[in-house]
Amino acid sequence: MSARGHLAMLVPTLVLAARLACAEPPGQLLLPNFDSLTGKSIQSVNITLDSTLLGLAASFLDSSKPDDAATMQVVSGLRGIYVRSYTFNKDFPYPTADVETVRRQLVPPAWQRLVQVHSKEQANVDIYISVDHGRANGLAIISSEPRQFTIVNIVGSIDLKKLHQLEGKFGVPKLQLPDGQ
């Protein structure tokens, strides 16, 4: 086989390797750009904490306090926390198709649904976990209501028993299910 033939066979392999290298880590969602919603919303939260920023944020916690020490332990296995949350003063001013684009990423076998709550008032909460070889490596929460939506994506080694330690910290909201559930 000629050098040109070898090169022709090698190029597709290199392209595939490059795509895999650039792919999101397991458990990380590709979030749409919601920047245009900031001006339309009465409140917006946009948090992007990669592993470096998480480490920096955790350094402000006080390890002598039990609650902070527990949070530091949970954060130590994480590779990222991503939060997008918007509140509006009128119904559905946000692109529901973009929220659905995120939901369409949450498919088996990579993602498993833990919780699904849908109400007549169009308040929906979906919680998914990404599991690889028996280990949780991602969590996704999508909460959508007529005047608000929130997407939380936590990436990395997740201990579900200790996950509640992150509620109210690093931009992770306290989970309140619709209808007082």
Side-chain angles (χ1 to χ4, degrees):
M1 182 180 286
S2 71
R4 179 177 269 178
H6 285 322
L7 184 60
M9 289 177 44
L10 183 60
V11 168
T13 304
L14 292 174
V15 169
L16 178 60
R19 284 183 183 164
L20 291 174
C22 294
E24 301 295 333
Q28 185 167 354
L29 298 172
L30 181 60
L31 298 177
N33 182 343
F34 292 116
D35 290 345
S36 65
L37 297 179
T38 302
K40 296 179 185 178
S41 63
I42 57 174
Q43 180 179 359
S44 66
V45 176
N46 183 337
I47 296 174
T48 300
L49 296 174
D50 62 12
S51 58
T52 302
L53 291 175
L54 271 173
L56 180 64
S59 71
F60 290 102
L61 297 173
D62 183 353
S63 62
S64 66
K65 295 180 181 177
D67 189 45
D68 282 0
T71 300
M72 289 172 75
Q73 185 179 17
V74 172
V75 169
S76 69
L78 297 183
R79 294 173 39 193
I81 296 177
Y82 307 91
V83 179
R84 304 296 185 267
S85 184
Y86 300 89
T87 304
F88 306 94
N89 59 7
K90 62 181 182 177
D91 288 354
F92 295 108
Y94 61 90
T96 56
D98 285 349
V99 177
E100 291 307 313
T101 298
V102 175
R103 277 195 174 95
R104 284 193 293 274
Q105 295 176 56
L106 302 167
V107 295
W111 291 92
Q112 304 300 318
R113 186 186 332 236
L114 293 177
V115 174
Q116 180 181 34
V117 178
H118 292 261
S119 72
K120 291 178 184 176
E121 292 82 28
Q122 296 178 318
N124 304 310
V125 176
D126 296 292
I127 302 175
Y128 290 82
I129 188 164
S130 174
V131 179
D132 186 34
H133 295 93
R135 298 202 60 182
N137 60 19
L139 182 81
I141 302 169
I142 301 176
S143 174
S144 59
E145 301 175 29
R147 294 182 179 222
Q148 179 178 13
F149 80 90
T150 299
I151 298 172
V152 177
N153 183 210
I154 300 173
V155 182
S157 179
I158 299 169
D159 183 343
L160 293 177
K161 294 176 186 173
K162 297 178 182 177
L163 192 61
H164 66 88
Q165 294 292 332
L166 293 179
E167 288 184 344
K169 295 183 178 85
F170 305 112
V172 177
K174 293 188 182 241
L175 183 61
Q176 296 176 350
L177 298 177
D179 300 322
Q181 295 180 1

